[in-house]
Amino acid sequence: VCFVLKKGTKTNQPFLEIVLQTSLLSSSGNHGRVATVLVSQMRNNATSPNIKVDFNQSTGVAVLSMQSPPVNSLSLDLLTELCINLEKLEMDRACRGLIITSNQPKVFSAGLDILEMYGKSPERCGEFWRAVQEMWLKMYGSNMVTIAAINGSSPAGGCLLSLTCDYRIMVDNPRYSIGLNETLLGIVAPFWFKETMANTVGHRNTEMALELGLLYSPSEALKIGLVDQLVPQDQLLTTATETMKKWLAIPDHARQITKSMMRKPTLDKLTSNREADIQNFVSFITKDSIQKSLRMYLEMLKKRKA
Amino acid sequence: VCFVLKKGTKTNQPFLEIVLQTSLLSSSGNHGRVATVLVSQMRNNATSPNIKVDFNQSTGVAVLSMQSPPVNSLSLDLLTELCINLEKLEMDRACRGLIITSNQPKVFSAGLDILEMYGKSPERCGEFWRAVQEMWLKMYGSNMVTIAAINGSSPAGGCLLSLTCDYRIMVDNPRYSIGLNETLLGIVAPFWFKETMANTVGHRNTEMALELGLLYSPSEALKIGLVDQLVPQDQLLTTATETMKKWLAIPDHARQITKSMMRKPTLDKLTSNREADIQNFVSFITKDSIQKSLRMYLEMLKKRKA
Amino acid sequence: VCFVLKKGTKTNQPFLEIVLQTSLLSSSGNHGRVATVLVSQMRNNATSPNIKVDFNQSTGVAVLSMQSPPVNSLSLDLLTELCINLEKLEMDRACRGLIITSNQPKVFSAGLDILEMYGKSPERCGEFWRAVQEMWLKMYGSNMVTIAAINGSSPAGGCLLSLTCDYRIMVDNPRYSIGLNETLLGIVAPFWFKETMANTVGHRNTEMALELGLLYSPSEALKIGLVDQLVPQDQLLTTATETMKKWLAIPDHARQITKSMMRKPTLDKLTSNREADIQNFVSFITKDSIQKSLRMYLEMLKKRKA
């Protein structure tokens, strides 16, 4: 399931633009134990079903491409694969830089998979949320240089994934948008989403963006600092690769200590409150009123498709 | 009493421009017990002497207009009426949005009434300060969508009142100004004024603004983010109303939880230090040197009028 | 020893541009007890060997010029003289404003003297670091109005010194640069450098700048708020003097309380962790790997000179 909500450049009024909806039909049954089995099989593969990793030994740079049709929704499966791949790359001393991008057209990632939050048991919801936390902790605290090559829309969890990186390059296509738009669905970005955004664009931009669920066009995102650079589609990966060279010119140990100094206070807030944060999420998302909101949203998506 | 200090656009040098001075002649004797009586009478009126409230049941939006001649100085009376009205609107579930504006020409609010701080007993000063705190706590922590429609100058406490809102629209008249200019009078904005401003325009802008007592023209205020939008005078209320619609399109519960997440840390700092903050204020404002500063300021106002 | 690293305006790729290198030949032996003796002698002089102070009784403004050839490297000696002069001015009630500038051509200050960190005993390194802390505490917490008149490049510790001031005016010469570029040398700016910068240019700019060791051209520095104003070389001191008048128009006590409110939380973090911060620095800088980095850097400087 995905949602792309776009802030009109003229009216400033948010409106729904369902870009991709086929995920509603995609099976989402291979979870839980099955996923665990898959995961153990994947440990020995550089490439797992939904993630492709190209590691260039000579440059020390890995390109991780999400390829989970149709819109790289962050399901428990995709998050698990992502975390496993991140851990492998993090432990590989030869890998110093990571470029994250998408193999799906028009979308970087549609964000957290709503089907993981709708009609699921509290245990399952908690398992899912722990995986979201794990992804954030691994990315925001990575010792590697991380660059998001954002080649499509990147709402909600997709925006969060981008924000965890050291640098964000986005394709300059006004049809793409990026932002933490959770409130539009009646749900709420947790405090560590908020802190990650505030560390990037400041308190006031974050307050406005989160309360209104704003999605920014690439040029708007550049203006407030939500992304660092815009490029034409065909220059995205070369620009990311060139940018990576500049970051890798800095001695790793000095850069890593500095990065940790900047991010550790934020990371610590979640690390020391992880279980409480899971409980918060589970008790919120399993509320009747919230489940109703999600059902209405899913039904609206179905109608639009029909 | 009011003061409007304006930052010159060319020299950048602050200079006094006494716009309105008649408040010096206005009686300020109907305080204390009298006010309490007034207040009980007002409880059953949508409109109290100095405040007019228009609540539109169909839109769920209330327009609160300050109409305390000549310049909406925030006296204990006006603050008390403001708090009572805010509490009523807050408790009315039908009221989802609040637009605050002024019925006085050329001024939104001249800020805290200096006559409440000059020559008053410590007890009275403390009572006044508690009302200032109460106004800030109610506004900054409001569950309603709050929009400031700033139709005139808005120094000191007037700026604070604007800053508590979710969104600020100011009339684009270069003769109007806005800012926390307390230092120009020899007094000091307390930490929660500072935090409210820093949450809006960042640490460095706040440092400069507070130390120099800067008052910004509308275009300068827009540039640093002190206001969000400028409009011609005759479009102020329609723009505020249109903006309100966008905010009310967001599910209340998600927006309210998000707003609380953004503002609770700042609110908590005052809530947990309220008595100490009152004591700080009282011991500062009743100092001989500070009283002397205020007297000189009041005498200067009188001379200008003569 | 000095280093000036400049961010290319087009390629954005940092490259080394060794502007001044003669300091490698300058004697650095008059330290320790000798310095203490010098220091006592200096107490009665307005002008010490490496620092010139012109105090104008009628305006209440002192101009402090660093004149430690060739590039005002912040050695233990220079830092000690700086602190003594600052203390004297701070205690002189007639002195309300301080302008800091350089008497050396093309450079404000090249930053911390690398020779103080290379091949020195832990005790000596600790003594040096304590002096760096002392300079920062005195400057960032000064009751005087402090203005940096930046008449040349200002990397690393030179940038820090600028950042401690209330206002920064830089000569608009694209050959000059400013920034906290420590990572380029394999060393790390400590948390209080970081906080000082973040208080000025925000979290995200600081994260990028510190991780990449960015040096900004004057116009780039102005854009992110690292400096407040650019002027032609020949207008630097007159502009600083005019700006000082505006700051001194504010009542001292109100400005000082406000400044303290803005900066005390940051100052307290170091004051309450001073010894631990020294230990951190000493154990880091005396590591074999770090000493090796510094040796390579010094050798590169020598080669460039040859």
Side-chain angles (χ1 to χ4, degrees), chain A residues 140 165-168 198-201 225 228 246-247 249-251 253-255 257-259 261-263 265-266, chain C residues 11-14 182-191 194 203-204 206-208 210-213 284 290 293:
Chain A
Y140 201 57
C165 291
D166 292 314
Y167 197 80
R168 283 159 288 287
N199 286 347
T200 310
V201 300
D228 298 300
K246 285 193 287 179
W247 284 77
I250 309 298
H253 72 279
R255 184 189 51 71
I257 294 172
T258 302
K259 181 171 178 175
M261 178 175 65
M262 298 302 303
R263 299 190 170 190
T266 305
Chain C
T11 64
N12 209 30
Q13 182 151 10
E182 280 80 355
T183 51
L184 289 179
L185 285 90
I187 59 177
V188 175
F191 76 90
K194 179 262 285 180
H203 186 97
R204 174 58 181 160
T206 302
E207 185 176 75
M208 284 264 286
L210 293 196
E211 290 193 31
L212 288 170
F284 177 79
I290 303 301
S293 287

Side-chain angles (χ1 to χ4, degrees), chain A residues 27-45 47-50 75-78 80-81 84-85 88:
Chain A
S27 120
S28 60
N30 58 338
H31 290 309
R33 311 238 163 189
V34 181
T36 316
V37 174
L38 275 174
V39 154
S40 3
Q41 291 172 343
M42 285 184 286
R43 283 198 185 276
N44 297 316
N45 293 315
T47 302
S48 55
N50 295 308
S75 63
L76 180 55
D77 274 4
L78 185 53
T80 306
E81 291 179 36
I84 289 166
N85 278 285
K88 277 166 66 178

Side-chain angles (χ1 to χ4, degrees), chain A residues 18 21-22 24-25 298-306:
Chain A
I18 307 305
Q21 307 156 8
T22 33
L24 273 175
L25 299 182
L298 291 170
E299 280 169 2
M300 183 197 64
L301 288 183
K302 278 184 189 168
K303 269 186 204 156
R304 294 226 173 188
K305 266 180 53 181

Side-chain angles (χ1 to χ4, degrees), chain B residues 21-52:
Chain B
Q21 305 155 9
T22 33
S23 62
L24 273 175
L25 299 182
S26 74
S27 118
S28 62
N30 59 339
H31 289 311
R33 311 237 163 188
V34 182
T36 315
V37 174
L38 276 174
V39 153
S40 358
Q41 291 172 342
M42 284 184 288
R43 283 196 187 277
N44 297 317
N45 293 316
T47 301
S48 55
N50 296 307
I51 282 176
K52 181 165 168 284

